[in-house]
Amino acid sequence: MPATVVVGCQWGDEGKGKIVDVLAAESDLVARFQGGSNAGHTVIVGDRKYVFHMLPSGVLHEGSRNLLGNGVVVDVLALVGEIEGLEKEGIDVMGRLLLSEQAHVILPIHCALDSAGEESGTETKIGTTKRGIGLAYGDKSRRKGLRLCDFRHADRFAAQYRDLSEYHGRIMKTLYGTDAPNPEEGLERLMASRDRVTALLCDGVTLVNDLLKAGKNVLCEGAQGVMLDIDHGTYPFVTSSSPTPGGACTGLGIPPTAVERVIGIVKAYTTRVGEGPMPTELHGDAGERLRKAGGEFGATTGRPRRCGWFDAPVVRRAVQICGCTELCITKLDVLDEYETIPVCTAYDTESGRANVMPFDPESIAQAKPVLEDHEGWNSRTSGVTTREGLPEKALRYLARLEELAGAPIGIVSTGPARASTIPFARS
Ligand code: GDP
Ligand code: IMO
Ligand code: MG
């Protein structure tokens, strides 16, 4: 039962979209299992750049099948916008996409309340994407959420929608003194998408499990990254879902025994968007240099990403939780012009050496990165497609990352294009 799970092993934006698109060519189904339109997954085909927030990253392959699993929270308006955008280019997304009927719906009021909370100045700012993620998962946990299957029953949908809009609208007015957007406008727009949604609904659990039983390849696409996991990340500066292989099992309804391969996507350095601790963050010119070299601006919000050196305690924690059978190191080429590349091997804390990211915010705040310098290769790896084509010093850097992370490297990415990908079998 060959399921492959792709997970981000840092704070998101590791290059999952590119790798999922590459692996989709040999997959029978690409299935997103958590998160919502907070994701921004970039896929480059030729000179065209696509950024998917809701659509699975396999959708550009002709004849592909893609699923939004039950663990995803679906911003229906964003989804339909993406479908229509691709249709204008002649891509038949409706023929390639299915939606799990149990997936929950992100409502306009969720987005409005997320923004109001972030902008209030009275609450801890998480630096969310303002896409209503925490509110939609919150309604799911309160057992009040609307699911995609509810679209089939327009009257019930409308009644529950109005109740939820009123409930959150009252909170918004009371806590932040702001008026909620007109709920009827939102309802009208959602209802205009109803036919599209209902046409794509399916029992995603049976779909995936039947494929697995038939020995087909199912590629499970994670969004975000382990450091943003609701349980294991740098809480409270996290998202509201579980971007781990465990999240893939619950988010698609597949047994853990179905997962054969776990690919942990790891940037050759570290980035983070939003608030929260980041022990290897570089400030000033050093941070700016890395941001510029890596083009590190958020694919969803356009915010500049915070940049820093590779952080082994972060990746080790992710490997521990995910059981990565292999790592994919992305953006190696971004380091091409560095004379020296520091790497954080552990943290020094008041209670001693920490080899994995601590959970307690006070311990993280104290953590001082233990840095080790690596000689840069100072030559072009950008676009290199073979292991042999990489300079010796880059291979040494990769070998050290592998050793520090405690998982073998299976893929190296040397550019955003499909072809800039090295299958990294060890010699
Ligand atoms: P995701 O959220 O994990 O899918 O990652 P994003 O798409 O948000 O951010 C990754 C960015 O890096 C995108 O702009 C990609 O096109 C780009 N990218 C992916 N892999 C590579 C690589 O190996 N080298 C370079 N230079 N860019 C890459
Ligand atoms: P992809 O899939 C990077 C961050 C936000 C914020 C925190 C909570 O492209 O890797 P949320 O809107 O989820 O409530 O925000 O999580 N965040 C991401 N950072 N990449 C992402 O997705 C992210 N999705 C959420 O910046 O700090
Ligand atoms: Mg992204």
Side-chain angles (χ1 to χ4, degrees):
M1 299 212 293
T4 297
V5 181
V6 169
V7 284
C9 285
Q10 292 154 318
W11 277 284
D13 302 328
E14 297 89 349
K16 299 175 293 293
K18 173 200 153 158
I19 298 303
V20 168
D21 168 65
V22 167
L23 297 176
E26 59 206 46
S27 304
D28 298 290
L29 179 77
V30 178
R32 269 274 307 266
F33 57 84
Q34 46 68 237
S37 44
N38 49 350
H41 295 177
T42 312
V43 177
I44 305 234
V45 182
D47 52 15
R48 180 76 175 82
K49 174 175 159 175
Y50 301 87
V51 180
F52 299 126
H53 304 289
M54 282 309 326
L55 286 171
S57 301
V59 80
L60 295 175
H61 292 269
E62 217 177 321
S64 64
R65 272 214 278 185
N66 298 268
L67 173 73
L68 292 184
N70 55 273
V72 173
V73 282
V74 183
D75 183 329
V76 170
L77 303 179
L79 174 67
V80 170
E82 280 178 33
I83 293 173
E84 286 174 353
L86 291 185
E87 282 176 347
K88 278 194 196 119
E89 294 187 33
I91 300 170
D92 166 33
V93 191
M94 294 294 282
R96 300 178 189 178
L97 180 67
L98 289 164
L99 309 173
S100 282
E101 55 193 2
Q102 313 112 287
H104 279 247
V105 183
I106 303 176
L107 303 177
I109 190 69
H110 292 144
C111 301
L113 194 50
D114 189 0
S115 296
E118 284 288 291
E119 285 158 15
S120 67
T122 55
E123 287 182 12
T124 305
K125 194 172 150 88
I126 305 292
T128 73
T129 58
K130 302 182 180 173
R131 298 299 192 269
I133 304 301
L135 277 301
Y137 278 116
D139 276 351
K140 176 177 176 175
S141 295
R142 287 193 315 123
R143 293 151 292 172
K144 301 285 184 199
L146 270 165
R147 299 188 298 172
L148 290 179
C149 56
D150 299 328
F151 268 96
R152 292 198 185 105
H153 314 284
D155 291 345
R156 182 162 67 72
F157 186 99
Q160 214 174 322
Y161 169 93
R162 290 189 178 109
D163 283 351
L164 282 168
S165 298
E166 199 201 325
Y167 172 84
H168 289 298
R170 253 195 270 156
I171 293 176
M172 198 160 150
K173 186 76 184 164
T174 311
L175 288 185
Y176 313 121
T178 350
D179 285 323
N182 180 350
E184 295 309 311
E185 270 172 30
L187 183 60
E188 206 173 299
R189 291 179 67 205
L190 283 171
M191 282 303 146
S193 304
R194 185 169 166 240
D195 289 349
R196 281 216 192 245
V197 171
T198 51
L200 298 176
L201 292 183
C202 73
D203 168 350
V205 176
T206 300
L207 170 74
V208 180
N209 281 288
D210 282 354
L211 284 172
L212 289 170
K213 273 204 192 106
K216 304 284 185 196
N217 292 319
V218 174
L219 183 61
C220 312
E221 177 180 13
Q224 290 80 53
V226 176
M227 284 295 121
L228 292 170
D229 182 280
I230 182 79
D231 283 286
H232 306 294
T234 46
Y235 194 88
F237 302 100
V238 294
T239 190
S240 303
S241 66
S242 182
T244 65
C249 291
T250 53
L252 294 172
I254 57 172
T257 45
V259 179
E260 212 166 65
R261 191 176 173 201
V262 176
I263 307 176
I265 314 290
V266 175
K267 233 175 236 186
Y269 49 96
T270 308
T271 63
R272 169 163 211 172
V273 200
E275 307 298 319
M278 179 180 169
T280 65
E281 181 169 13
L282 293 166
H283 299 278
D285 290 349
E288 199 51 53
R289 180 178 175 195
L290 199 44
R291 183 159 34 254
K292 201 164 161 223
E296 297 294 356
F297 294 88
T300 298
T301 57
R303 290 177 290 178
R305 294 178 183 147
R306 299 155 64 190
C307 296
W309 301 122
F310 178 85
D311 186 331
V314 163
V315 178
R316 262 192 219 113
R317 177 66 87 191
V319 168
Q320 185 183 55
I321 289 163
C322 299
C324 302
T325 56
E326 68 194 271
L327 300 179
C328 165
I329 305 292
T330 59
K331 304 194 92 160
L332 184 71
D333 54 296
V334 171
L335 302 176
D336 279 355
E337 289 177 12
Y338 278 86
E339 291 285 328
T340 306
I341 309 167
V343 159
C344 166
T345 58
Y347 303 146
D348 271 334
T349 70
E350 274 175 14
S351 48
R353 270 283 144 102
N355 290 318
V356 288
M357 173 63 91
F359 292 123
D360 158 30
E362 277 73 20
S363 305
I364 304 177
Q366 288 167 9
K368 290 202 176 45
V370 177
L371 294 174
E372 173 184 282
D373 279 348
H374 284 261
E375 248 186 283
W377 42 94
N378 260 291
S379 58
R380 204 176 145 81
T381 65
S382 181
V384 168
T385 56
T386 61
R387 184 190 172 110
E388 296 68 40
L390 289 177
E392 190 51 40
K393 285 177 185 163
L395 288 171
R396 253 187 267 152
Y397 181 73
L398 291 170
R400 184 62 178 143
L401 299 195
E402 193 171 48
E403 187 179 39
L404 287 168
I409 296 173
I411 306 170
V412 172
S413 174
T414 57
R418 283 175 174 170
S420 305
T421 309
I422 309 178
F424 206 68
R426 266 168 297 180
S427 47

